[in-house]
Amino acid sequence: MTAGAVRLVAPVLLPCDPACSVVRDGVVDITAEGRIAFAGPRASAPATDAAVRTLPGALLPGLVNTHAHTPMAVLRGLGGDLPLLRWLHEVMWPAEGRMNGDHVRAGMTAGCVEMLRNGCTTSVEMYFFTSAVIDAVSTVGSRVLLTPGVIAAPGWDRLGSWEAMRDAVSRRIDRDGLRCGPGERIELGYGPHSAYTLPPQALASVAEHARERGALLHIHVAETTQEDAAQRAAHGSVPAMLDDLGVLGGRVLAAHGVHLSDDDIALLAAKGAAVAHCPGSNAKLAAGVARVTALRRAGVRVGLGTDGPASGDDLDLWAESRLAGLLARVTSGDAAALTAAELLLMATREGAAAIGRDDIGALETGRWADVVHVGLDESTFVDPDDDAQLVSNLVWAGGSKLVRDVWVAGEQVLADGEPTRVDRAATTAALRAATAAIRP
């Protein structure tokens, strides 16, 4: 946590309020507990006894990655030219069968560092070896909403039954609470893998456990046309099946949501479910292009995700935002389908909203001080004094290469591009050792 209250001062503040305002000569006041006490123009800031740190460039909230399997960094690029189901059955699941907690810890640690260097402070993870993931996040100092996987597919019984996986999550939440750790950096939810890897009773039961605890239920939905043909044949669509089972209640995050009909979108909107849009992974696996503009028009909350680094390959949410905008425009024929401001909000405020969090994703009083400092001195910015041009250049041409410093819950965890808690070279070495250990 922070050693004491601090005031960050910068020429530009991007609070990521609903209007995507650009504040000139801005201030972010951070309490000793790591919350934001004030964010706005310096002229309106209250008097303070806090230490003052003046920075060049711009301050904005940490990005929120709404769908990831970050420990798969140890498998990055493996089977990179296969469609989803062959990729899973022939390459991924056999390789994951050789992974243990140490490998997961190495992949998650290196992945957390990579995301911080990209300005991403929070990731929503679906993976196994829960303690190893939490250890990695706690070591690096980032933030996670961890939804441990629940699955009943060939080979996964080595980790126990779906009932055992469900109960392990419930016991941990009941023991530690929904959120825990310094700065509430750890939140737990449930990660039922999909409708095609779990029996109907499992989906209904996991959803009941999640609702009882106010936890996020995070599930792959309609990613490709092949994966869930049986479910669609029986119920009409995957969202319809989930609704029939009572899954679409409480906090629900549908990962991918590529192949959704108008009725599916209306159902998700009516039930308050959100979608994690992963354009990079969807494109690489030839899964298709999600109907993001239709989802947003219907009132469905949409965040951005990288998916796992074995399928999406990178963990750069800026790249995902650009690709999301490009695909929305080329598929709709509308050159304003997603503006730079909308994409920035999808990566921050709206991503937080998609996972049911109103305490991150924006620089606002009361939220956690998850703050990113980006430089404005590169040729990326042709007219940084023009508000619209600055946001446009940041999203379409800038991104991760501009990130200089990052704070999570008021603690600086990245300084001048390097993590403050761990040695980046050591984390990379551990990652490569884990990859070598599980290579067939």
Side-chain angles (χ1 to χ4, degrees):
M1 296 296 290
T2 56
V6 64
R7 167 170 287 180
L8 303 179
V9 180
V12 175
L13 182 67
L14 300 170
C16 290
D17 59 330
C20 202
S21 304
V22 177
V23 177
R24 301 290 173 170
D25 191 18
V27 161
V28 178
D29 285 339
I30 302 173
T31 69
E33 295 72 33
R35 297 271 188 176
I36 296 173
F38 173 84
R42 179 155 51 171
S44 303
T48 183
D49 294 327
V52 177
R53 182 170 177 187
T54 302
L55 300 162
L59 299 174
L60 64 148
L63 308 188
V64 179
N65 183 347
T66 59
H67 180 63
H69 313 281
T70 299
M72 294 174 77
V74 298
L75 307 174
R76 195 189 303 257
L78 202 62
D81 300 315
L82 293 173
L84 176 66
L85 292 184
R86 286 190 59 197
W87 177 77
L88 284 174
H89 289 280
E90 297 176 19
V91 179
M92 276 301 107
W93 287 352
E96 287 180 292
R98 296 186 288 273
M99 291 175 65
N100 61 31
D102 290 338
H103 304 139
V104 168
R105 186 179 292 103
M108 189 68 195
T109 301
C112 286
V113 170
E114 185 175 339
M115 284 189 283
L116 285 180
R117 298 185 78 224
N118 293 334
C120 179
T121 52
T122 299
S123 64
V124 181
E125 302 286 344
M126 181 191 293
Y127 215 68
F128 309 92
F129 298 97
T130 300
S131 294
V133 175
I134 291 174
D135 286 349
V137 174
S138 300
T139 297
V140 176
S142 54
R143 188 182 298 281
V144 69
L145 200 171
L146 174 58
T147 61
V150 180
I151 192 170
W156 286 101
D157 53 356
R158 69 186 183 278
L159 298 180
S161 66
W162 68 260
E163 293 96 337
M165 296 178 188
R166 175 205 62 196
D167 291 346
V169 179
S170 296
R171 282 195 304 272
R172 192 180 283 263
I173 292 175
D174 293 343
R175 183 191 71 200
D176 300 337
L178 202 60
R179 300 177 193 172
C180 61
E184 295 183 347
R185 282 176 165 94
I186 310 298
E187 180 178 356
L188 288 172
Y190 295 78
H193 180 270
S194 61
Y196 65 91
T197 59
L198 286 166
Q201 65 268 30
L203 295 168
S205 177
V206 173
E208 182 179 3
H209 276 238
R211 282 195 302 273
E212 288 174 350
R213 292 163 177 81
L216 182 74
L217 185 140
H218 176 204
I219 181 172
H220 296 93
V221 172
E223 185 174 357
T224 74
T225 55
Q226 296 83 28
E227 72 201 26
D228 45 31
Q231 288 73 26
R232 287 201 309 276
H235 296 268
S237 74
V238 180
M241 175 189 182
L242 297 177
D243 190 41
D244 290 344
L245 294 171
V247 174
L248 296 182
R251 296 167 63 192
V252 176
L253 177 67
H256 299 286
V258 176
H259 299 280
L260 300 175
S261 68
D262 289 345
D263 288 344
D264 293 333
I265 291 173
L267 176 60
L268 293 178
K271 296 294 183 176
V275 169
H277 178 39
C278 307
S281 173
N282 294 342
K284 187 166 182 282
L285 292 169
V289 181
R291 301 174 60 198
V292 176
T293 52
L295 286 161
R296 285 166 53 86
R297 278 199 303 268
V300 176
R301 292 164 292 137
V302 181
L304 294 170
T306 60
D307 205 3
S311 58
D313 285 46
D314 67 23
L315 288 166
D316 186 348
L317 210 64
W318 293 103
E320 298 294 336
S321 68
R322 286 192 292 272
L323 185 56
L326 294 172
L327 291 176
R329 293 175 180 215
V330 78
T331 54
S332 67
D334 179 4
L338 285 175
T339 66
E342 288 172 325
L343 292 169
L344 179 58
L345 293 182
M346 284 179 68
T348 53
R349 184 186 197 92
E350 293 177 15
I355 61 174
R357 296 289 295 263
D358 61 3
D359 59 341
I360 57 174
L363 301 182
E364 293 177 350
T365 301
R367 298 199 187 215
W368 287 109
D370 296 357
V371 185
V372 174
H373 168 223
V374 299
L376 299 178
D377 56 348
E378 296 196 20
S379 59
T380 299
F381 297 97
V382 295
D383 187 2
D385 293 327
D386 181 279
D387 291 355
Q389 193 70 48
L390 184 147
V391 173
S392 177
N393 291 160
L394 172 66
V395 172
W396 292 113
S400 58
K401 68 183 180 183
L402 303 173
V403 175
R404 303 290 183 261
D405 307 285
V406 175
W407 293 259
V408 174
E411 177 192 352
Q412 188 166 7
V413 291
L414 190 83
D416 198 22
E418 293 297 330
T420 63
R421 287 188 174 198
V422 295
D423 179 77
R424 183 160 60 93
T427 66
T428 301
L431 171 75
R432 291 174 178 172
T435 298
I438 63 176
R439 189 173 292 149

